[in-house]
């Protein structure tokens, strides 16, 4: 168990210091910046608005004809850092890029996950298999699209690692081996870009490796997370600045810092059914206090594990959800249940392309049209909605943690001190709650927060239950928030409380030092307040899909009218829109999300 007292003591010291400062100066300067946005800090009286236009859709093919080269650069030795095993792996894959274009092209790399490697049985390595399963071909619908828009996309064959990586109890599950393989591929293409060779001299001088984006799926997701750390340990590291971790495992509990991270966990994942992508986000969001890059948690509510990869989706048993629900009758994730919430393979690949291409075109290509999506406020286009639906934001739950310089943490809830005091040094109060406290779940079983088992986030959190109108109040101590755009929190609607079956709603109130108050209803800006759907996760015969997750409630500050944003006194969450209920809460933050 971690020692909670240094953090708590720091908060109490912070409160004492603030009291002294108030006595001496009567003011509280919340930022060292002389200016924010378009006006000097001293002149600002209102926060900036957040863009709310429909997110740009990257699905259309671009103007470039796509060239492709499949390559094999020989063999390398990879290792397992936990048990010391080593074995050989091919350095094999393909690269797609714009044909007959000048370049240089921003470089992306894709890494598939752990799947069967041979259609006629598992082999020791590819040389023993007459008909290998080309998992690295499963993302061509994404890589070809990106190449048509001017990107060079490498897709890595990791079958040799899949044939050799060990189970969770015996080793690192291939995480280091995959990181070594990724870096070796990048090394090879850096050499090609500089001096040609390897039969790819046409790419000399055409690869822009100043900023690199990497995507990994499943154990490949954990592999690209590990790559961030492993790459930095090399003598000549690559500048990897954006990581898209798609349905990753997280056996090694990795924090991913100093890169932009999107960690994705499908609600109907039947392989990584405990949604370990959420764990990676939870570990990373505060891993480095000065981290200049944003972090994102994305939960596609209808997504399973396999459909993101077209090779896996074409196998004889493509729906991994049937591994744990053989009858397919779970009310939400079961394909045989009437009115289920599942994605078809086509829809899942449509939103796989949408989010992955948008992510890299904004954070690597710096194409500004894709920025509004990653503010957390832009509606998704109808092209990734089920047939006939024009709006479906409730199917894609995106949580945003802004860079350290663009956020002011009210309460991170990292320890039980949050029951009495916030990160600013202000007091916390819980009025008329029937119960409240702190809890943290324990990873894969999802236990530890009794109000909702399983909860598949591992963040430390508050929980609050009420059966009469109640509210939570946290003191803001004359804080100036004009530098920010939203007030954010992550909320879970606890499925263990029957009073939550219809979902929940609440009001968020900001109060200034003059006593002016402004109230906004959470559901007007968030689609995440529904009761988690599906059957009992721990059913005796089948495992259902119902589990609580922590999802964003982001309210634009411009929605709060008639208050002085330069001098905020308190924030309240009022639970008066339902008779009773329970929520779980963390990450109460003011943020600037429109970079």
């Amino acid at each position: 168990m971690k020692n909670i007292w240094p953090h708590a003591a720091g908060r109490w010291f912070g409160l004492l210091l603030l009291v002294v400062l108030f006595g001496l100066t009567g003011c509280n300067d919340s930022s060292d910046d002389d200016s924010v946005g378009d006006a000097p800090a001293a002149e600002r009286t209102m926060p900036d608005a957040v863009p709310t236009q429909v997110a740009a859709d990257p699905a259309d093919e671009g103007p470039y004809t796509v060239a492709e080269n499949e390559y094999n650069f020989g063999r390398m030795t990879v290792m397992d850092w936990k048990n010391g095993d080593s074995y050989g792996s091919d350095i094999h894959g393909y690269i797609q890029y714009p044909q007959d274009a000048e370049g240089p092209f921003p470089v992306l790399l894709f890494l598939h996950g752990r799947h069967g490697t041979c259609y006629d049985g598992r082999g020791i390595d590819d040389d023993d298999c007459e008909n290998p399963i080309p998992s690295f071909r499963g993302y061509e619908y994404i890589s070809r699209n990106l190449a048509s828009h001017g990107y060079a996309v490498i897709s890595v064959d990791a079958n040799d690692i899949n044939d050799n990586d060990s189970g969770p109890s015996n080793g690192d599950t291939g995480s280091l081996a995959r990181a070594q393989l990724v870096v070796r591929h990048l090394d090879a293409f850096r050499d090609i870009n500089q001096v040609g060779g390897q039969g790819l001299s046409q790419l000399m001088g055409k690869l822009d490796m100043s900023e690199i984006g990497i995507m990994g799926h499943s154990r490949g997701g954990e592999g690209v997370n590990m790559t961030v750390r492993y790459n930095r340990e090399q003598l000549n590291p690559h500048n990897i600045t954006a990581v898209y971790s798609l349905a990753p495992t997280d056996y090694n509990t990795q924090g991913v810092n100093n890169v932009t991270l999107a960690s994705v966990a499908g609600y109907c994942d039947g392989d990584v059914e405990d949604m370990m992508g959420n764990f990676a986000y939870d570990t990373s969001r505060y891993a480095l206090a000065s981290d200049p890059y944003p972090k994102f948690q994305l939960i596609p509510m209808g997504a399973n594990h396999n459909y993101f990869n077209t090779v896996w989706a074409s196998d004889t048993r493509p729906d991994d959800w049937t591994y744990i629900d053989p009858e397919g009758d779970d009310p939400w994730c079961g394909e045989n249940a009437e009115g289920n919430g599942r994605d078809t393979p086509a829809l899942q690949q449509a939103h796989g392309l949408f989010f992955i291409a948008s992510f890299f075109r904004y954070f690597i290509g710096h194409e500004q049209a894709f920025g509004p999506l990653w503010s957390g406020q832009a509606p998704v286009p109808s092209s990734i909605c089920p047939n006939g639906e024009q709006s479906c934001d409730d199917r894609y739950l995106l949580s945003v943690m802004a860079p350290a310089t663009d956020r002011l943490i009210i309460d991170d809830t990292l320890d039980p001190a949050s029951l009495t005091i916030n990160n600013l040094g202000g007091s916390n109060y819980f009025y008329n709650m029937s119960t409240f406290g702190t809890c943290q779940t324990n990873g894969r079983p999802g236990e530890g927060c009794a109000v909702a088992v399983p909860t598949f986030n591992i963040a430390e959190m508050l929980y609050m239950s009420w059966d009469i109108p109640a509210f939570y109040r946290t003191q803001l101590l004359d804080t100036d928030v004009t530098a920010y755009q939203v007030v954010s929190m992550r909320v879970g609607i606890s499925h263990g409380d029957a009073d939550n079956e219809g979902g929940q709603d609440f009001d968020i109130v900001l109060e200034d030092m003059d006593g002016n108050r402004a109230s906004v209803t959470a559901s007007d800006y968030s689609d995440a307040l529904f009761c988690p759907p599906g059957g009992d996760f721990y059913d005796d015969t089948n495992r259902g899909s119902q589990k609580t997750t922590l999802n964003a409630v982001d309210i634009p500050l411009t929605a709060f009218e008639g208050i002085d944003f330069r001098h905020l006194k308190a924030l309240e969450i009022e639970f008066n829109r339902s008779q009773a209920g329970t929520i779980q809460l963390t990450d109460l933050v003011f943020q600037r999300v429109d970079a």
Side-chain angles (χ1 to χ4, degrees), residues 299-311:
I299 301 178
M301 287 298 296
N304 73 357
H305 194 76
N306 286 348
Y307 287 169
F308 289 114
N309 186 303
T310 59
V311 173

Side-chain angles (χ1 to χ4, degrees), residues 413-430:
T413 74
L414 290 179
D415 61 53
S418 295
L419 295 176
T420 55
I421 194 168
N422 64 31
N423 289 59
L424 302 176
S427 297
N428 291 337
Y429 303 95
F430 302 80

Side-chain angles (χ1 to χ4, degrees), residues 21 134 270 282 292 331 338 362 406 413-414 435 487 493 508 520 532 583:
L21 290 174
D282 289 336
E338 184 176 357
Y362 183 56
D406 291 333
T413 74
L414 290 179
T435 60
V487 58
I493 305 302
I508 299 166
V520 175
I583 70 159

Side-chain angles (χ1 to χ4, degrees), residues 68-89:
E68 178 189 304
N69 293 102
E70 187 167 336
Y71 59 84
N72 196 324
F73 298 152
R75 301 277 288 176
M76 67 176 292
T77 299
V78 295
M79 293 186 61
D80 183 310
W81 63 272
K82 282 189 175 180
N83 62 24
D85 288 350
S86 62
Y87 49 90
S89 173

Side-chain angles (χ1 to χ4, degrees), residues 123 194 242 304 316:
Q194 292 173 347
N304 73 357
T316 56

